[in-house]
Amino acid sequence: MKPEMNRESVALALLPKSNQISATSSISAAVFNVSTCMIGAGIMSVPATLKVLGIVPGFLVILIMAFLMEVTVEFLLRYTNYSGDANTYGGVMAESFGKFGSFALQICVMISNLGALIIYLIIIDVLTGNESEGVLHLGILQQCFGFHWWNSRAYSLLFVVIFVMLPLLLLPRVESLGHASAVSILLAVVFVVISSGMAIYALIEGQTQQLSLVPDFSDGLLSVFNLFTTIPVLATAFACHVTIHPVRAELEKQSDMSTAVRISLVLSVVIYLAVGFVGYLLFGDSIMADMLVNFDQTSNLPGGLMINAIVRLSYAIHLMLVFPVIFYTLRANMDEMIFPRKSLLANDTTRFMSLTCVLLAFIYVVAIALPNIWYFFQFMGSTTVACIAFVFPGAIVLRDVHGISTRKDRVMAIMVVILAVVTSVIAISTNLYSLFGNSASEN
């Protein structure tokens, strides 16, 4: 017996039902939108994960993580619209676990999306400078114009929010962001190409850093536990599950969604491997959790200051264009939770504008108040992202309300859920120990 569903539980979705909108998006637009969600803030932490894991295990873990993402997305797509009712992630959860399931998904989506968007604004601080680990890193605006009130964090980010973010967020359909997503992917490629060029130059000049092929276990058991802290970072980097249904709803052939996801995963893996290797090669053990901060100093390349500025600016603009895609699912999810019986959000201008402005203002205020939240970044990957990307899809297969899962599916679902729970518990415990243990030792 599947749980009884009402309108609220079915409609607790990340987008309205597909029959309410016209499906005109192409598979290329779907690839760009899904890839944009994958190639976000997480890319800046990939080199740091290679420092912890070593080159060989790091590459292997990236490939395994991409494979697991493909498996869990396929789980969701298989149960989508099987009964003709559930055409969203929330709807699939409602079919399997009732209103509680869809509500749990909504809470996780809101927390993870809010966290991701706040992190995006913090990384965009590369324009204005930031203080990390007690060191002041000048932003592009300070290096070019000096210190002024108008290029401080608060004012420059406010300018970005109002004149860059807000116009994109006022577009009513995610398909309208396809061109912006394509540009964002291009900028990510530019970032990879320039960074690779810097690495090749450094290699020719003999200025590259020594790489570790395997993990460093000099700290004993703590070193082993630290390996698990990389999993949440990579999970957050690859997670795209909340975007799957909104993008799928606007495809001309919704069966093409699986292909679009696979292409996006391949593209993301290539970019992650390239950025991880190049970043580690350039900065070695000095690589920071946010690699973009390492480009603060002038490199030894001809025109090094200009090159570093281009690298930072290209990725900052990339994040500005990723921001609306993530915000779209957050806004739709929030609207379904607060106004479950209202009409389509895009058709209610007052509600659409109010919700957009309130959410954007909240994200801006928190980003200004919290200039560094990388521990929260890992904590988010160990909790809400782990649930969205692994636990919930695995639980849907194990619940199997339609009786369509195979023995192989159930075995894979159990493995995915156990992997998510075990690695998350170890990662959270290790981060808490490192955080409070270091504080205690300093005192």
Side-chain angles (χ1 to χ4, degrees):
M1 293 291 292
K2 68 180 181 180
E4 181 182 357
M5 300 192 305
N6 51 27
R7 192 270 181 192
E8 290 87 344
S9 61
V10 174
L12 286 174
L14 304 182
L15 246 195
K17 292 184 178 181
S18 58
N19 59 9
Q20 292 177 300
I21 57 178
S22 58
T24 59
S25 180
S26 64
I27 189 172
S28 59
V31 169
F32 284 131
N33 279 324
V34 175
S35 299
T36 297
C37 292
M38 293 183 189
I39 308 171
I43 194 174
M44 291 296 104
S45 291
V46 172
T49 64
L50 294 185
K51 181 179 72 172
V52 176
L53 293 170
I55 293 294
V56 175
F59 281 10
L60 182 61
V61 170
I62 289 175
L63 293 174
I64 292 175
M65 190 62 61
F67 169 74
L68 293 178
M69 290 295 172
E70 195 275 335
V71 169
T72 53
V73 167
E74 195 63 31
F75 285 164
L76 288 179
L77 292 177
R78 191 183 312 172
Y79 281 81
T80 299
N81 263 347
Y82 187 85
S83 64
D85 295 325
N87 63 346
T88 64
Y89 198 162
V92 175
M93 283 293 290
E95 277 194 335
S96 297
F97 301 102
K99 188 174 181 179
F100 172 79
S102 55
F103 179 76
L105 173 67
Q106 281 191 305
I107 296 300
C108 289
V109 168
M110 285 188 290
I111 294 175
S112 61
N113 280 12
L114 274 173
L117 294 176
I118 292 168
I119 290 171
Y120 284 7
L121 284 189
I122 292 176
I123 294 178
I124 293 172
D125 280 350
V126 68
L127 299 174
T128 62
N130 201 349
E131 185 173 341
S132 180
E133 299 182 4
V135 179
L136 177 63
H137 296 272
L138 295 179
I140 298 174
L141 296 178
Q142 282 85 6
Q143 289 179 328
C144 294
F145 304 104
F147 289 89
H148 302 281
W149 66 267
W150 53 267
N151 62 11
S152 63
R153 288 187 70 239
Y155 288 102
S156 58
L157 278 183
L158 182 62
F159 180 89
V160 170
V161 165
I162 294 177
F163 295 102
V164 179
M165 304 295 193
L166 188 58
L168 291 174
L169 296 179
L170 294 181
L171 297 174
R173 293 178 53 188
V174 69
E175 192 271 337
S176 304
L177 300 172
H179 296 297
S181 297
V183 173
S184 73
I185 296 298
L186 177 62
L187 290 173
V189 173
V190 169
F191 172 79
V192 173
V193 170
I194 295 178
S195 300
S196 300
M198 295 175 66
I200 293 173
Y201 181 87
L203 190 63
I204 294 174
E205 295 294 319
Q207 298 172 349
T208 55
Q209 303 296 315
Q210 184 176 0
L211 306 182
S212 299
L213 296 179
V214 294
D216 179 11
F217 295 109
S218 58
D219 289 337
L221 192 59
L222 182 60
S223 298
V224 177
F225 288 152
N226 278 332
L227 301 180
F228 290 90
T229 63
T230 63
I231 304 300
V233 175
L234 294 176
T236 304
F238 276 110
C240 61
H241 297 64
V242 297
T243 310
I244 295 302
H245 291 88
V247 174
R248 174 185 176 274
E250 296 184 353
L251 274 174
E252 289 187 52
K253 291 179 59 180
Q254 296 188 353
S255 58
D256 288 338
M257 194 63 215
S258 295
T259 302
V261 171
R262 293 189 183 101
I263 295 173
S264 300
L265 281 170
V266 171
L267 178 62
S268 300
V269 165
V270 171
I271 292 178
Y272 282 153
L273 293 178
V275 170
F277 181 76
V278 166
Y280 194 18
L281 192 65
L282 282 173
F283 304 113
D285 290 337
S286 65
I287 193 75
M288 303 185 68
D290 177 7
M291 186 182 72
L292 216 57
V293 176
N294 288 97
F295 287 95
D296 175 62
Q297 302 300 321
T298 303
S299 67
N300 294 322
L301 277 74
L305 182 62
M306 178 64 69
I307 292 176
N308 283 351
I310 293 174
V311 169
R312 291 185 288 170
L313 185 60
S314 66
Y315 207 79
I317 297 175
H318 163 76
L319 290 181
M320 293 178 194
L321 298 177
V322 175
F323 191 97
V325 180
I326 306 299
F327 188 94
Y328 188 94
T329 59
L330 171 64
R331 178 176 55 199
N333 195 38
M334 183 73 76
D335 178 68
E336 288 288 353
M337 185 175 183
I338 301 175
F339 308 105
R341 300 184 183 277
K342 293 288 186 178
S343 61
L344 187 64
L345 178 61
N347 295 334
D348 189 332
T349 303
T350 301
R351 196 167 93 249
F352 182 86
M353 291 290 295
S354 300
L355 195 57
T356 299
C357 293
V358 169
L359 285 174
L360 188 58
F362 176 80
I363 292 169
Y364 167 77
V365 170
V366 175
I368 293 298
L370 300 174
N372 192 331
I373 53 174
W374 285 105
Y375 274 109
F376 174 71
F377 183 85
Q378 291 185 351
F379 179 79
M380 184 177 66
S382 301
T383 53
T384 57
V385 172
C387 289
I388 294 170
F390 300 121
V391 176
F392 291 165
I396 289 170
V397 170
L398 295 176
R399 180 70 168 172
D400 194 19
V401 293
H402 300 304
I404 60 176
S405 66
T406 64
R407 181 179 179 182
K408 179 181 177 181
D409 294 334
R410 291 190 291 272
V411 170
M412 182 60 70
I414 292 173
M415 291 176 58
V416 167
V417 172
I418 292 177
L419 176 66
V421 173
V422 171
T423 55
S424 294
V425 170
I426 295 176
I428 292 174
S429 302
T430 304
N431 283 327
L432 291 176
Y433 176 80
S434 300
L435 182 63
F436 294 107
N438 291 339
S439 298
S441 61
E442 291 176 359
N443 295 332

